[in-house]
Amino acid sequence: MKKGEAVTIMVHRDGTPETRSLRVPVWAARVMAVTAGTLVVVILTAAALFTPIARTAARVPGLNREISRLRQENRQVTQLAATLGELEGRYDQVRGMLGIDIVPDRPPGIENVLPVARPMLAAIPGETSPYDPNQATPVYWPLESFTFVTRGHSETGSGSGAHPGLDIAVPVETPIRASATGRVTEAGVDPEYGVYVRVIHVDDYETMYGHAMRVTVSVGDTVVAGQVIGLSGSTGRSTAPHLHFEVIKDGVSLDPGTVVREEI
């Protein structure tokens, strides 16, 4: 750059004949250009940095409202937990006063059956139960009334038609009653008979109740004649709802029709 070089800037105002000239040294023009460029870069950089901050600041009121809502819900959950704990404490007190477990444990092998309250024999006030609790041999029909027998008893070992016990057609959830007083020796799930209960009685008698939907007793329980020990269903190898009922004596399957005599 030669000494004395300058840039002349002509300024003409519309509507007037005059023209003004502004003479700026080259070095000053370059300084002005660099300064202007720097200002543009600074402004763009500031805008790029400020935009996310501005967006975040705009979200703050909404986040504060969300935090307030969550705190309120947390307080409600805490109150519900305290109420639940109080109710559980009262439940334990009631159970302790009664001296019993209101809800029994599931029988072994039955994983998908909801526990139910222990069964009770209900009777109309002033009337006695039709079942004799001292009856220890299986003489009672295992249902509240006689229904259709869809398959009878046939001797074990007589071929493919062998069938120990009776198949009795009955709607789902019909109460199954103990044929006599005894002790539960098995309560579980069998591939053939589904959910079942086995009860031992005096004189080496046993009864078995199969294809139930659920059982209401556990192994080791003492049951009395007529007590509800389960609800009928169609579990195991079954094509329709029914009860499979067996009577066993000394390990030999008997025809229940020759033993059961009393209908309730």
Side-chain angles (χ1 to χ4, degrees), residues 74-123:
N74 184 61
R75 285 193 292 268
Q76 293 175 352
V77 170
T78 302
Q79 293 174 355
L80 289 175
T83 302
L84 179 60
E86 182 180 352
L87 292 176
E88 288 179 347
R90 292 180 180 177
Y91 168 78
D92 290 336
Q93 290 177 353
V94 172
R95 186 172 61 180
M97 289 187 292
L98 293 176
I100 60 172
D101 286 331
I102 296 176
V103 178
D105 295 331
R106 291 188 178 95
I110 301 180
E111 303 297 335
N112 298 321
V113 178
L114 293 176
V116 296
R118 293 191 180 277
M120 300 178 62
L121 288 176

Side-chain angles (χ1 to χ4, degrees), residues 7-234:
V7 176
T8 301
I9 300 174
M10 304 293 293
V11 179
H12 178 77
R13 184 177 181 182
D14 292 342
T16 61
E18 294 86 2
T19 298
R20 297 180 61 185
S21 299
L22 179 62
R23 184 178 176 81
V24 179
V26 172
W27 65 267
R30 290 179 178 177
V31 170
M32 293 172 61
V34 171
T35 302
T38 302
L39 288 175
V40 170
V41 172
V42 170
I43 292 172
L44 292 177
T45 302
L49 295 175
F50 178 76
T51 299
I53 297 175
R55 290 177 179 175
T56 302
R59 295 176 55 192
V60 168
L63 292 175
N64 289 334
R65 289 192 296 269
E66 183 68 14
I67 291 172
S68 299
R69 184 183 66 81
L70 292 175
R71 286 176 177 172
Q72 178 65 23
E73 291 181 355
N74 184 61
R75 285 193 292 268
Q76 293 175 352
V77 170
T78 302
Q79 293 174 355
L80 289 175
T83 302
L84 179 60
E86 182 180 352
L87 292 176
E88 288 179 347
R90 292 180 180 177
Y91 168 78
D92 290 336
Q93 290 177 353
V94 172
R95 186 172 61 180
M97 289 187 292
L98 293 176
I100 60 172
D101 286 331
I102 296 176
V103 178
D105 295 331
R106 291 188 178 95
I110 301 180
E111 303 297 335
N112 298 321
V113 178
L114 293 176
V116 296
R118 293 191 180 277
M120 300 178 62
L121 288 176
I124 300 175
E127 293 187 6
T128 59
S129 171
Y131 297 94
D132 181 4
N134 297 317
Q135 180 59 52
T137 56
V139 299
Y140 291 111
W141 189 247
L143 300 166
E144 295 177 350
S145 61
F146 279 105
T147 55
F148 293 103
V149 175
T150 58
R151 189 175 182 184
H153 176 273
S154 59
E155 293 295 332
T156 302
S158 60
S160 60
H163 183 252
L166 302 177
D167 283 349
I168 309 166
V170 64
V172 174
E173 295 189 348
T174 297
I176 302 171
R177 298 184 179 273
S179 182
T181 296
R183 179 173 55 85
V184 178
T185 57
E186 296 180 34
V189 180
D190 179 84
E192 179 74 20
Y193 296 112
V195 179
Y196 76 100
V197 180
R198 195 178 185 100
V199 181
I200 190 170
H201 311 282
V202 299
D203 298 331
D204 293 322
Y205 274 105
E206 292 181 89
T207 52
M208 200 277 280
Y209 313 79
H211 303 302
M213 183 183 72
R214 69 176 66 174
V215 298
T216 56
V217 292
S218 302
V219 173
D221 286 353
T222 297
V223 297
V224 297
Q227 178 175 330
V228 176
I229 59 176
L231 299 177
S232 64
S234 185

